[in-house]
Amino acid sequence: MPLSKSLIKVFRESNERKLRRLLPILAEVNRWSEKVRNFSDAELRAKTQEFKQRLAQGETTDQILPEAFAVVREAARRTIGLYPFDVQVLGGIVLHQRRVAEMKTGEGKTLVATMPAYLNALVGKVHIVTVNDYLAKRDRYWMGPIYEFLGLTVGLLQEDTPPEERKKAYQCDIVYGTNAQFGFDYLRDHMVLSRDQKVQGPLDYAIIDEVDYILIDEARTPLIISGPTEETARMYREFARLARLFKPGEDFEVDEEHRRLSLTEKGWEKAEKLLKFDNIADPRAATARYHLETALRALVFYKRDRDYIVKDGRVIIVDEFTGRLMPDRRYSGGLHQAIEAKEGLPIQREHQTLAQITIQHYFRLYKGLAGMTGTAKTEEEELKKIYGLDVVQIPTNRPMIRYHHPDVIFRTRKAKFEAVAQKVEELHRQGRPVLIGTTSIEDSEYLSQLLKKRGLPHQVLNAKYHEKEAMIVAQAGRLGAITIATNMAGRGTDILLGGNPEYRARQEADPEKEPEKYRELLERYKKEAEEERKKIVAPADPNSPYAKWVLEQIKKWCRETGKEFRPEEWQEIYQGGLFVIGCQRHEARRIDDQLAGRAGRQGDPGEAQFFLSLEDDLLRIFGGERLASLMERLGVKEGEAITHELLTRAIRRAQKKVEERNFEIRKRLLEYDEIMARQRDAIYALRERFLLPAPGETTNDEELKEHLLGMVEEFAEILVERYVPRGRAEEGDLSGLLRELSQVCDPVPELRARRWEELLKIVQEALREQFERQWQRLSPHFPVVARLVVLRTVDENWRQHLLELDDLREGIGLRAYGGTDPLVEFKREAHRLFQEMLVRSEEQVMRVLLSPRLMIRVESAPAPTPAATARPGASPARPSSRPSPSKPVAPPGKVGRNDPCPCGSGKKYKHCCGRKS
């Protein structure tokens, strides 16, 4: 039955209007659902081909949406035994409309995605993006039968998926994978030499699960493919030693809110003395100054067992939002090495950026983008401004019965955790399952020790493997279960009261290999879960305040959905359920809401409460002194707590302040990235033009020749301008110009003093003739060689350019002290560097291709690709799978001091072989 229009009364006017427009579409889906229920399997499958034909004839996806959604609904019922509720259909409509569907935990977002994914796969490729490999794999095999029943193909991307398998996955109609897998494949596709090495294909439409985490929390960390440089370990150790000599408050000031530090006058003097510089502001001291500040940041802001852990002799980053380990990521800018030096560990080599893109820019490349999450409304402004994504809040399928207790605040961290342990013990005696959210590994281990002293059995989750984590979280709703986890542990995993029978059965039997055993276990565990649930949600005294509150929630839901309230249907007023405890407010309200949202799913009762202390980061940085003085005035003693709605609201305001600051940081990151993105797009378009053809693909050598001739003419202009000033030809250095031409021309043209324009025509004609001779002399290999030379040269110079941009960004903020906007300065400088890089690349290409000494030898060795290692968001470069048909041998021409060294080190010539000459 379609939901009544009264369902939308609880929502704000804006959301009410959004929902009202969806209700007629929902009603039509329901009408079609009744019709397709009578279809045979064959008739249902035939709809896919029929839809494609109708779309080819001019119908739109919007026009066939009701019928297509009804078909998916019925296919889901027949294949996986799930039938999308009306609210799930509403969520699917929102996703198809390229918006964000906010749906509470337990509302079945995984199933919601199948309807818009199927519809959009009829006209293009669909990428379904998850937060980790485990969820991608789970969702692909859980929902895959629906698509396959209807004749569509489904692919899966995992961290260890090889290139050929990736290519096959992307050729499927629908592909499941993580944001990192999709993003890195995009970057790697623009590092290949041949078209057949590319794997990703078109970016038509993406549905992002946990869209707030991926597009907002992950947006501050760009995806980077990097390669090693030659920074020395001894230097990092020396700066780590020096950093310990500087005293906070005396030698430097700390701004915890913005994670910044600045040296005092006394600190500058100490730095000059220790680093042996007369003036630390001298440009020659810039590198030393940067490494000293980095070492201080590593010492002050990055804490062991909070920001990172030390394991197997390595520094492994801990994700600040999920608490999970990220072994494939490294801090950039020498920070990771500074932390390794601080911890006395082996120093890994610094890495140079080979390719990078922000999450923000990558997902804006899709023609269509949509997302779903349980918490998006607080970030609606950012989603709208950055991605053009509107947020629609979808009502729940069952009454929401989750009671939020006011926050309790203690003076000290110790008192807070003692209170948490006491509360857990009380709940455990009642048989209530408890989920405790912490913000760090250190906190989870400290609390675990307290629970052990009290003899309370519990599970601790901090940075475990995703699959194991999901299994444990799925059972966190069992009778008396106590689970300590990071605030977002098991995101995407349902916590069912009494336990999740599906996960328990899967632990003991593989559904594919042992279907009979799996079904038997599933039925048994379903019965056990139901028995446990009855004990957890025992009937309450109907006259108690809590029972009255629950009854009001049920009546309210009935009014919203247009359902008649019948007391006989709600005879049992439930108490109990999952109790969620938060040990600290996160800087983002969404994270707290996600944690609290683990309770009260699909009509189950639940409660949530946060325990705080004045030593928590959020309170300490934002208003800790005011709260401390308030507690002093109220006479609150150690171990006592204060609870007041005004305090809770003050904390929410502090969170909003942090969210706004983080939004500005991400917005600024995007502004800088947009400058780089335009340059990246230009380079990628240039590479695309010169890629080697795939086997069997025909090439347009005449088009290639025409483009190269254009480069020849520009190269001639570069040479003439270098030796003969425009308008002052009589002052020109003709002998220098002849020397240059002798390296790329045979025979060398005759030059004599004349007008600049005439001189340019002579040089252009001579170089064109040389190019024609090269084309004929080295035929038929010259077109392939030309493509390889262009690609190699552009790639090398682009990497050098990225390194220069990294250096530029590190110091550009200092220009604000001179009264200029760092962003404007960065834009101007980046443009200048980019133009210089293009000219340098063009000149290097022409010097190779025009050289009379250029020889070609045919080899069967595979074409090498840049080695890469990981740093924040980094992924290894994909190995090349195509052999190089030829290899150019460049002549030893003149190398500029700032040009990349011909030895291939990646350094500037003056810092490499140029130092020896």
Side-chain angles (χ1 to χ4, degrees):
M1 286 182 60
L3 296 177
S4 167
K5 291 183 181 180
S6 61
L7 152 152
I8 56 182
K9 288 181 182 176
V10 73
F11 299 97
R12 292 202 312 246
E13 180 62 23
S14 59
N15 202 68
E16 179 181 336
R17 286 198 300 270
K18 295 172 188 176
L19 287 169
R20 185 179 289 123
R21 285 193 289 269
L22 301 180
L23 292 177
I25 306 173
L26 172 62
E28 199 173 346
V29 172
N30 282 326
R31 284 194 292 272
W32 272 106
S33 297
E34 293 298 322
K35 294 178 185 177
V36 302
R37 186 163 293 177
N38 299 318
F39 286 7
S40 67
D41 286 358
E43 288 173 322
L44 207 57
R45 288 193 190 97
K47 277 291 177 183
T48 299
Q49 195 56 39
E50 178 194 320
F51 290 147
K52 288 182 177 180
Q53 290 172 354
R54 286 162 57 182
L55 289 165
Q57 290 166 2
E59 282 193 66
T60 66
T61 51
D62 289 345
Q63 288 172 321
I64 69 168
L65 182 150
E67 193 175 351
F69 273 34
V71 166
V72 177
R73 225 179 180 183
E74 184 61 23
R77 186 179 67 81
R78 297 186 191 186
T79 55
I80 64 173
L82 297 177
Y83 190 79
F85 300 121
D86 282 359
V87 292
Q88 290 174 306
V89 174
L90 283 175
I93 296 169
V94 168
L95 294 181
H96 171 71
Q97 293 176 343
R98 277 58 174 166
R99 300 153 98 182
V100 171
E102 181 182 276
M103 302 182 72
K104 301 302 179 189
T105 301
E107 292 297 302
K109 293 186 287 292
T110 307
L111 184 60
V112 168
T114 59
M115 292 173 280
Y118 169 79
L119 177 57
N120 284 274
L122 299 173
V123 292
K125 301 296 184 184
V126 175
H127 297 169
I128 300 182
V129 188
T130 66
V131 296
N132 61 54
D133 272 359
Y134 167 70
L135 289 177
K137 186 176 182 179
R138 184 202 70 176
D139 293 354
R140 182 264 173 265
Y141 287 108
W142 187 12
M143 298 294 130
I146 301 173
Y147 308 119
E148 290 161 345
F149 176 84
L150 293 171
L152 298 184
T153 54
V154 192
L156 173 66
L157 299 175
Q158 299 280 274
E159 182 71 37
D160 57 357
T161 305
E164 286 307 312
E165 291 301 315
R166 284 180 183 275
K167 199 167 190 176
K168 290 177 184 176
Y170 279 114
Q171 288 167 353
C172 293
D173 300 304
I174 298 165
V175 189
Y176 284 84
T178 66
N179 55 300
Q181 294 305 313
F182 288 115
F184 282 128
D185 281 338
Y186 173 79
L187 290 178
R188 287 187 289 247
D189 273 2
H190 289 91
M191 296 175 71
V192 300
L193 299 178
S194 172
R195 295 188 195 284
D196 63 320
Q197 293 172 352
K198 298 179 79 169
V199 301
Q200 190 165 73
L203 302 178
D204 293 327
Y205 175 66
I207 298 173
I208 304 177
D209 193 10
E210 308 298 358
V211 66
D212 55 326
Y213 173 67
I214 290 175
L215 293 189
I216 293 176
D217 298 337
E218 285 280 273
R220 285 187 287 181
T221 305
L223 301 173
I224 297 172
I225 293 178
S226 58
T229 62
E230 294 292 335
E231 299 289 349
T232 64
R234 186 176 63 182
M235 177 190 70
Y236 285 107
R237 291 198 184 93
E238 180 62 17
F239 278 103
R241 183 187 68 80
L242 293 177
R244 292 188 177 91
L245 303 177
F246 287 74
K247 300 174 182 177
E250 184 178 317
D251 297 318
F252 62 90
E253 300 291 339
V254 176
D255 178 355
E256 285 196 81
E257 179 180 346
H258 298 96
R259 280 196 139 189
R260 294 177 188 155
L261 56 81
S262 54
L263 291 176
T264 62
E265 192 64 36
K266 188 174 180 181
W268 286 119
E269 291 173 2
K270 180 179 282 190
E272 287 171 344
K273 183 179 178 182
L274 293 171
L275 298 173
K276 297 180 173 58
F277 280 102
D278 294 332
N279 182 1
I280 196 69
D282 191 302
R284 289 172 295 180
T287 300
R289 190 170 64 239
Y290 172 75
H291 282 295
L292 174 61
E293 290 172 347
T294 301
L296 286 169
R297 285 173 57 222
L299 193 63
V300 174
F301 295 126
Y302 292 84
K303 303 297 184 186
R304 186 168 177 169
D305 290 335
R306 186 191 71 184
D307 301 292
Y308 64 90
I309 67 166
V310 174
K311 184 179 180 182
D312 300 329
R314 294 173 58 206
V315 168
I316 302 178
I317 299 173
V318 176
D319 188 304
E320 64 175 306
F321 295 101
T322 66
R324 297 189 181 108
L325 295 184
M326 299 189 292
D328 61 335
R329 295 193 181 185
R330 289 177 65 81
Y331 294 116
S332 58
L335 178 59
H336 210 95
Q337 286 77 7
I339 294 172
E340 288 168 336
K342 179 183 81 169
E343 296 291 348
L345 299 171
I347 309 295
Q348 304 296 318
R349 291 170 72 187
E350 176 60 284
H351 289 80
Q352 173 190 342
T353 299
L354 304 181
Q356 78 171 59
I357 191 169
T358 60
I359 289 288
Q360 295 157 311
H361 186 72
Y362 172 71
F363 280 108
R364 287 167 62 181
L365 295 173
Y366 279 86
K367 296 171 190 170
L369 188 63
M372 49 190 181
T373 182
T375 48
K377 202 63 181 176
T378 57
E379 310 295 342
E380 183 172 20
E381 181 187 1
E382 181 167 354
L383 290 168
K384 187 73 174 176
K385 284 185 177 179
I386 304 297
Y387 305 98
L389 290 172
D390 188 23
V391 176
V392 182
Q393 292 174 297
I394 306 297
T396 57
N397 185 55
R398 301 270 299 161
M400 173 66 75
I401 308 174
R402 181 171 67 239
Y403 186 78
H404 286 268
H405 296 273
D407 294 356
V408 288
I409 305 174
F410 296 83
R411 278 181 173 274
T412 64
R413 175 176 176 271
K414 181 176 181 295
K416 173 184 72 174
F417 280 114
E418 287 290 349
V420 169
Q422 179 63 35
K423 182 70 174 179
V424 172
E425 188 171 17
E426 292 171 9
L427 293 166
H428 185 67
R429 283 201 297 265
Q430 300 168 20
R432 297 278 297 277
V434 183
L435 177 66
I436 309 162
T438 65
T439 57
S440 71
I441 294 172
E442 182 184 15
D443 285 353
S444 65
E445 291 177 347
Y446 179 71
L447 183 57
S448 176
Q449 290 301 319
L450 292 180
L451 296 184
K452 283 177 182 176
K453 287 179 183 177
R454 293 171 182 259
L456 297 173
H458 59 278
Q459 293 272 11
V460 180
L461 275 176
N462 48 33
K464 301 294 182 185
Y465 293 107
H466 301 309
E467 186 163 2
K468 183 178 180 182
E469 174 188 290
M471 292 289 187
I472 294 173
V473 171
Q475 304 310 319
R478 299 196 68 185
L479 188 69
I482 302 172
T483 309
I484 303 173
T486 54
N487 280 7
M488 286 167 57
R491 196 168 183 173
T493 306
D494 275 349
I495 300 178
L496 308 182
L497 292 185
N500 193 313
E502 178 197 344
Y503 281 92
R504 287 182 67 191
R506 196 187 299 166
Q507 279 181 295
E508 298 177 42
D510 188 322
E512 294 182 15
K513 296 178 181 177
E514 304 173 281
E516 288 300 322
K517 183 180 179 182
Y518 172 77
R519 280 194 291 271
E520 288 174 10
L521 288 168
L522 186 60
E523 288 304 312
R524 190 210 313 171
Y525 292 144
K526 278 182 180 177
K527 292 176 183 176
E528 289 182 15
E530 185 55 35
E531 289 303 312
E532 283 196 16
R533 185 183 182 279
K534 289 176 183 176
K535 296 175 184 176
I536 296 168
V537 293
D541 175 4
N543 297 315
S544 69
Y546 176 76
K548 290 177 181 177
W549 176 83
V550 172
L551 192 60
E552 280 305 308
Q553 301 308 302
I554 294 170
K555 288 180 178 178
K556 181 181 174 184
W557 180 82
C558 288
R559 289 194 302 270
E560 292 165 3
T561 56
K563 296 183 182 295
E564 181 184 353
F565 175 69
R566 296 177 180 175
E568 65 273 13
E569 292 182 7
W570 308 98
Q571 287 178 353
E572 294 180 315
I573 305 292
Y574 289 115
Q575 68 176 356
L578 178 68
F579 199 109
V580 172
I581 294 176
C583 293
Q584 183 171 323
R585 284 286 184 181
H586 197 276
E587 63 180 33
R589 289 169 292 172
R590 293 175 297 104
I591 309 303
D592 295 338
D593 293 343
Q594 277 281 350
L595 177 62
R598 310 306 294 169
R601 54 155 324 274
Q602 280 293 328
D604 279 342
E607 298 175 68
Q609 187 169 30
F610 283 82
F611 287 66
L612 316 175
S613 85
L614 296 184
E615 294 177 348
D616 293 350
D617 290 343
L618 188 72
L619 298 188
R620 183 169 49 79
I621 297 170
F622 298 96
E625 292 179 2
R626 292 194 302 275
L627 288 172
S629 62
L630 175 61
M631 285 183 143
E632 195 74 41
R633 289 198 303 272
L634 294 174
V636 179
K637 298 177 182 177
E638 175 63 25
E640 293 181 347
I642 183 171
T643 301
H644 198 285
E645 188 59 37
L646 284 174
L647 290 174
T648 301
R649 285 205 294 269
I651 293 165
R652 297 295 264 188
R653 282 197 299 272
Q655 289 176 303
K656 193 169 188 297
K657 182 179 177 182
V658 181
E659 289 168 0
E660 289 169 353
R661 185 200 73 196
N662 289 339
F663 176 28
E664 287 304 314
I665 292 172
R666 291 188 292 267
K667 187 179 174 185
R668 200 66 168 172
L669 173 68
L670 182 63
E671 289 171 340
Y672 278 96
D673 186 61
E674 281 177 342
I675 298 166
M676 297 176 67
R678 285 193 289 271
Q679 297 182 357
R680 179 172 54 239
D681 292 344
I683 289 296
Y684 286 177
L686 180 65
R687 287 189 96 264
E688 189 70 23
R689 182 180 296 149
F690 287 97
L691 283 178
L692 295 173
E697 183 182 353
T698 57
T699 60
N700 189 337
D701 287 346
E702 285 305 313
E703 185 179 316
L704 171 69
K705 187 175 184 179
E706 184 180 343
H707 187 82
L708 290 172
L709 282 169
M711 292 174 67
V712 167
E713 295 193 354
E714 290 169 5
F715 177 52
E717 193 169 346
I718 291 169
L719 291 183
V720 174
E721 278 191 329
R722 181 172 297 159
Y723 291 95
V724 182
R726 284 179 186 261
R728 303 199 309 276
E730 66 280 359
E731 300 175 18
D733 179 8
L734 292 183
S735 61
L737 180 56
L738 281 169
R739 281 197 307 273
E740 291 275 20
L741 289 174
S742 68
Q743 295 180 9
V744 293
C745 256
D746 187 16
V748 179
E750 181 183 346
L751 300 178
R752 58 179 181 272
R754 59 183 69 209
R755 290 176 58 245
W756 190 89
E757 290 76 8
E758 292 176 356
L759 195 60
L760 175 61
K761 285 183 180 178
I762 292 172
V763 174
Q764 284 180 334
E765 182 61 31
L767 293 182
R768 275 198 300 268
E769 290 175 358
Q770 176 65 15
F771 179 82
E772 292 290 352
R773 284 192 292 272
Q774 293 288 84
W775 187 281
Q776 295 299 323
R777 180 172 71 87
L778 301 173
S779 179
H781 300 296
F782 191 82
V784 173
V785 171
R787 291 178 190 274
L788 285 171
V789 170
V790 172
L791 290 172
R792 296 290 192 190
T793 306
V794 167
D795 285 350
E796 188 55 53
N797 280 282
W798 174 242
R799 288 169 206 150
Q800 183 68 25
H801 180 65
L802 289 176
L803 184 61
E804 290 174 346
L805 289 183
D806 281 348
D807 292 342
L808 179 63
R809 283 190 67 169
E810 290 291 346
I812 202 73
L814 296 175
R815 303 201 185 183
Y817 295 113
T820 59
D821 183 345
L823 181 63
V824 173
E825 288 293 294
F826 181 79
K827 187 181 294 185
R828 183 176 61 79
E829 289 290 317
H831 177 74
R832 178 184 63 79
L833 290 171
F834 187 66
Q835 294 303 316
E836 289 176 0
M837 184 268 291
L838 290 178
V839 170
R840 186 168 64 246
S841 300
E842 195 169 75
E843 182 174 352
Q844 289 171 0
V845 167
M846 287 296 102
R847 286 186 181 279
V848 173
L849 295 183
L850 295 177
S851 172
R853 295 182 292 281
L854 175 63
M855 301 296 293
I856 294 175
R857 64 173 182 267
V858 178
E859 293 184 344
S860 58
T865 56
T869 56
R871 72 178 227 209
S875 171
R878 184 168 59 234
S880 171
S881 59
R882 177 182 170 87
S884 173
S886 56
K887 178 182 178 181
V889 180
K894 181 179 177 182
V895 181
R897 285 175 50 74
N898 290 311
D899 291 346
C901 190
C903 75
S905 67
K907 296 181 179 180
K908 288 184 179 180
Y909 178 67
K910 65 184 180 184
H911 294 315
C912 190
C913 298
R915 288 189 300 184
K916 304 167 188 174
S917 57

